[in-house]
Amino acid sequence: EEQLVESGGRLVQTGGSLRLSCAASGFVFSDYDINWVRQAPGKGLEWVSYISTSGATIYYADAVKGRFTISRDNAKKSVYLQMRNLRQDDTAVYYCAKTGLYNWFDPWGKGTMVAVSS
Amino acid sequence: DIQMTQSPSSLSASVGDRVTITCRASQPISNYLHWYQQRPGKAPKLLIYTASTLQSGVPSRFSGSGSGTDFTLTISSLQPEDFATYFCQQSYNIPPWTFGQGTKVEMK
């Protein structure tokens, strides 16, 4: 069974940093692109970042560009999201998701909660 | 950025009802449109990809159609486990990929 498990979310102060991890199992990790998607409390889904299989191609949403960095370690079957200069509007559940052939997301992890407070 | 607009934002329906949700893109996106179901407190689940292809394991009462700018998700006979929020997502060209705001299907 394909599975993704996020970790690293916690309460952090405004301006702080956090590193999220996404561990994969059940598929050949190095063959798939991975995305991060977030969901603020009671709100909709917002795509955050994308990384290709080798890490050579990376994209970010404008809202996080310059503050977040995505990376991956294919040997560890993991993707990371380094978050810096966190703001209150970064408060959300952060999901990682495997990317399908035409960039649909499946499966998703269960998510990890990031709360940014002053 | 491509804007995705879903309608309605919420609806009330009964078990057995036929339910239709629409999603409109701000520019043509061919068939790069995907649908997800999200139950409370859970991660989204892929239902349909590329507008009309049913994901493996998804019941056949779910169907999708459309191309260009207008798309629909139909549940032919609503079941108790279908009360959830549904999102569309476009993946046309390079990111940013965007989602509709969601449609909450509630029990009447």
Side-chain angles (χ1 to χ4, degrees), chain A residues 15-70:
Chain A
S17 298
L18 207 54
R19 188 198 198 205
L20 305 183
S21 298
C22 168
S25 62
F27 61 97
V28 181
F29 180 74
S30 57
D31 284 352
Y32 291 93
D33 308 333
I34 301 290
N35 287 269
W36 287 95
V37 178
R38 68 184 180 183
Q39 186 171 35
K43 302 297 185 182
L45 299 167
E46 179 185 20
W47 171 81
V48 173
S49 186
Y50 159 97
I51 187 166
S52 63
T53 54
S54 67
T57 301
I58 286 173
Y59 297 108
Y60 298 100
D62 285 346
V64 307
K65 203 173 293 182
R67 300 187 299 122
F68 289 12
T69 303
I70 192 171

Side-chain angles (χ1 to χ4, degrees), chain B:
Chain B
D1 298 358
I2 299 173
Q3 309 303 317
M4 305 302 294
T5 304
Q6 282 183 239
S7 60
S9 295
S10 65
L11 64 90
S12 297
S14 301
V15 172
D17 284 353
R18 182 181 183 89
V19 169
T20 298
I21 298 167
T22 65
C23 182
R24 175 164 289 175
S26 59
Q27 66 183 70
I29 58 169
S30 185
N31 66 338
Y32 294 95
L33 188 284
H34 322 296
W35 290 98
Y36 302 87
Q37 176 193 66
Q38 187 178 33
R39 297 189 175 111
K42 300 295 186 182
K45 171 189 170 184
L46 178 69
L47 295 177
I48 288 170
Y49 57 91
T50 55
S52 60
T53 305
L54 200 65
Q55 171 67 337
S56 175
V58 174
S60 59
R61 63 181 179 272
F62 291 93
S63 64
S65 64
S67 184
T69 60
D70 294 316
F71 302 86
T72 61
L73 172 70
T74 299
I75 310 172
S76 60
S77 178
L78 197 66
Q79 297 302 299
E81 60 269 30
D82 301 337
F83 292 98
T85 300
Y86 295 84
F87 294 93
C88 62
Q89 175 235 334
Q90 65 80 17
S91 62
Y92 185 74
N93 212 338
I94 63 171
W97 297 317
T98 47
F99 293 86
Q101 80 278 17
T103 296
K104 187 173 185 179
V105 177
E106 299 175 298
M107 190 176 300
K108 186 182 287 184

Side-chain angles (χ1 to χ4, degrees), chain A residues 3-5 13-14 19 23-24 29 35-36 57 63 66-67 73-74 83 102 105 113 115:
Chain A
Q3 192 172 13
L4 296 163
V5 179
Q13 286 195 321
T14 301
R19 188 198 198 205
F29 180 74
N35 287 269
W36 287 95
T57 301
R67 300 187 299 122
D73 184 334
N74 285 341
M83 311 164 71
Y102 292 110
F105 305 138
M113 180 69 201

